[in-house]
Amino acid sequence: MDKTRMVVVGGGAGGLELVTRLGRRLGRRGKAEITLIDRNSTHIWKPLLHEVATGALDSSIDEISYQSHAQLNGYRFQRGTLHGLDRDARQLRLAPVLDDHGEEVLPARTLEYDLLVLSLGSVSNDFGTPGVSEYCHFLDSPAQAEAFRHDMLNTFLRYSDPERRLHPRLTVGIVGAGATGVELSAELYDASRMLHSYGFTEMDSRHLEVHLIEAAPDVLPALPERIREAVRTELERLGVQVHTGTRVVSVEEGAIVTADEQRIETDLNVWAAGIKAPEVLRDLGLTLDRNQRIKVEPTLQSVDDPNIFVFGDCASCPQPDGSMVPPRAQAAHQQAQRLYKNLVARLGNGTLKPFRYRDRGSLISLAHFEAIGSLMRGASARSLFIEGRLAKFFYASLYRMHQRAIHGTAKTALILLSDGLNRFIRPRMKLH
């Protein structure tokens, strides 16, 4: 009897954790054929892209090759971008893969499936604001984070020559005070200090000016007030100029223009003001919500097709209280665990169970300066406010949990040891 073909599109945090567990349980034992599709050849945990952008995290060390990981964990990997879907024939179409020069590396392909999982994540939403795509960096992928890092290093070098400075201080504009914008703001001050200590530039944090611009009344609008207040206080202590209740109407070369006609002159711009589902979801013939996310049943099956499962930021998943699962990394992690069990049950003609989201709290890291957040206390849903070293420990443990899910306990322990050694033998930031 032919093996069931399970295809997972999207190797983000949730997608990679899912295929790892499916590969170990089903792929290795020949019970199913597991295939992962991703447009990139390597994986980096998306919540850490702001550290890649400033060089605090060396992507060449921390990235994971999908191809080698697949071989070790019982699944297959194909590089490609989802281009279309034929539900009647149970086929998905992949666009051609091009190199940096636009030359075709892999042709367009058709892939057949029995069960399809979509885990495409989300991308930045510029809300149609003029000039954003031309003059702002995005942090949706490792390539975009690396592009910002190179631009940042070149800008610091240029400002080392007083005659080439465009402004009294090197100025960075960050639109969006969610987790990415807030954490990047702090990382930039840490990066400027490190670049100065290594002799990369004569400038230090006193010569850096960061503008954090948010349309909502406060930073981190989705988090509790106590966390918002503590984070804002720390940001302002670092020197970040926080503009809340401020809507950006356009971005120009060297400036951000707000609705109150304020013109903030900048050297670098980053757009982190919102997220949306990938455009390809519109072309799949599946029912979407108003945010372009695919509507799913509580079991994470598409409302249109029981053979298609969707989870993560691209899924609109209802909860018993009428709310929708929020687009957060912890939600994708929890959904990957439930979906793994449901897919195994589906293979054995078992009963699929609904997904129930459990908010485990929120943690924000402000580089090495501070960490602030809250942890949820069991079924009572009461939160415990934490900060300082304890908060930094729990923040770091989130990444270790992800590593444990995709590498196993023994290998994660070795990685932890290796990371500790690297702190002594390698620079604290990537300088090239």
Side-chain angles (χ1 to χ4, degrees):
M1 186 174 182
D2 293 337
K3 290 184 289 187
T4 300
R5 297 163 297 184
M6 296 184 181
V7 177
V8 179
V9 183
L16 186 56
E17 290 182 15
L18 177 62
V19 294
T20 300
R21 298 188 70 177
L22 290 173
R24 292 170 180 170
R25 171 76 176 269
L26 304 175
R28 284 177 176 173
R29 301 176 183 179
K31 295 184 177 181
E33 181 181 290
I34 315 299
T35 303
L36 173 66
I37 308 293
D38 197 275
R39 68 176 62 190
N40 301 305
S41 58
T42 59
H43 164 86
I44 286 184
W45 199 44
K46 191 173 182 179
L48 294 181
L49 285 180
H50 66 282
E51 295 188 22
V52 176
T54 58
L57 185 73
D58 190 337
S59 59
S60 62
I61 295 177
D62 286 81
E63 64 187 354
I64 299 166
S65 166
Y66 288 122
Q67 202 73 58
S68 64
H69 189 267
Q71 189 273 332
L72 292 171
N73 290 279
Y75 67 92
R76 300 178 180 181
F77 171 70
Q78 286 200 37
R79 188 177 174 192
T81 301
L82 181 62
H83 183 63
L85 178 65
D86 184 340
R87 290 198 287 123
D88 293 331
R90 293 191 186 179
Q91 294 179 338
L92 55 86
R93 296 187 296 276
L94 302 181
V97 176
L98 309 178
D99 63 17
D100 294 337
H101 305 289
E103 297 293 328
E104 187 175 285
V105 176
L106 290 173
R109 289 151 290 153
T110 299
L111 199 63
E112 296 182 340
Y113 67 87
D114 296 306
L115 298 175
L116 176 63
V117 179
L118 299 177
S119 177
L120 297 173
S122 59
V123 296
S124 294
N125 189 356
D126 63 9
F127 305 101
T129 308
V132 172
S133 60
E134 295 88 352
Y135 304 117
C136 284
H137 285 277
F138 298 92
L139 299 181
D140 294 326
S141 68
Q144 291 178 341
E146 283 290 341
F148 174 83
R149 190 180 65 82
H150 284 290
D151 204 358
M152 179 194 74
L153 292 177
N154 288 335
T155 304
F156 269 100
L157 282 176
R158 185 173 68 247
Y159 262 70
S160 296
D161 181 356
E163 296 183 0
R164 302 188 65 194
R165 297 179 182 178
L166 301 179
H167 310 110
R169 294 195 289 179
L170 192 159
T171 308
V172 182
I174 302 174
V175 183
T180 298
V182 165
E183 293 180 332
L184 179 62
S185 298
E187 288 287 350
L188 285 169
Y189 279 93
D190 197 28
S192 66
R193 296 184 182 191
M194 292 303 301
L195 290 172
H196 177 73
S197 69
Y198 283 118
F200 186 90
T201 175
E202 295 182 358
M203 301 173 57
D204 59 19
S205 58
R206 295 171 299 175
H207 303 95
L208 176 66
E209 185 173 301
V210 176
H211 293 266
L212 183 60
I213 307 166
E214 171 59 50
D218 203 355
V219 301
L220 302 169
L223 299 189
E225 181 179 359
R226 187 174 181 183
I227 296 178
R228 299 199 306 267
E229 291 178 352
V231 168
R232 180 162 186 158
T233 298
E234 184 63 22
L235 289 174
E236 292 174 342
R237 187 189 69 79
L238 290 176
V240 178
Q241 297 191 32
V242 181
H243 308 260
T244 51
T246 303
R247 184 171 63 89
V248 173
V249 295
S250 67
V251 180
E252 303 172 359
E253 186 175 10
I256 295 174
V257 182
T258 66
D260 58 3
E261 299 184 353
Q262 182 181 7
R263 180 183 172 88
I264 303 173
E265 296 191 353
T266 56
D267 297 286
L268 290 170
N269 296 318
V270 178
W271 188 272
I275 60 173
K276 64 179 180 180
E279 294 295 328
V280 70
L281 298 188
R282 298 181 179 180
D283 305 322
L284 301 183
L286 300 172
T287 302
L288 308 178
D289 68 3
R290 63 179 182 178
N291 294 319
Q292 306 300 320
R293 298 182 301 174
I294 299 174
K295 287 187 175 182
V296 299
E297 304 287 356
T299 55
L300 300 175
Q301 293 168 289
S302 163
V303 297
D304 305 295
D305 192 330
N307 297 311
I308 297 178
F309 296 77
V310 191
F311 77 109
D313 291 1
C314 67
S316 179
C317 181
Q319 294 294 279
D321 62 0
S323 65
M324 293 294 168
V325 177
R328 303 178 65 183
Q330 64 170 300
H333 173 73
Q334 293 176 33
Q335 287 178 324
Q337 293 178 321
R338 167 45 53 198
L339 188 50
Y340 161 73
K341 295 177 181 178
N342 278 356
L343 288 170
V344 172
R346 173 67 181 271
L347 201 64
N349 296 317
T351 301
L352 278 61
K353 295 183 179 180
F355 170 71
R356 296 290 181 262
Y357 173 62
R358 300 288 185 266
D359 188 350
R360 305 301 185 192
S362 303
L363 292 167
I364 299 296
S365 174
L366 303 178
H368 78 276
F369 304 107
E370 179 66 286
I372 300 167
S374 64
L375 300 178
M376 304 306 291
R377 305 175 73 176
S380 67
R382 295 180 59 188
S383 63
L384 173 66
F385 180 82
I386 58 174
E387 58 184 332
R389 291 184 178 180
L390 182 60
K392 293 188 76 66
F393 169 79
F394 279 108
Y395 184 88
S397 70
L398 297 177
Y399 184 39
R400 301 305 178 189
M401 288 172 59
H402 174 62
Q403 289 179 314
R404 183 173 179 268
I406 59 179
H407 294 307
T409 302
K411 191 171 182 179
T412 300
L414 293 174
I415 292 173
L416 185 60
L417 176 61
S418 175
D419 289 346
L421 293 174
N422 279 330
R423 292 192 185 96
F424 292 96
I425 64 178
R426 299 180 64 88
R428 287 181 56 191
M429 70 179 298
K430 189 175 181 181
L431 300 169
H432 58 280

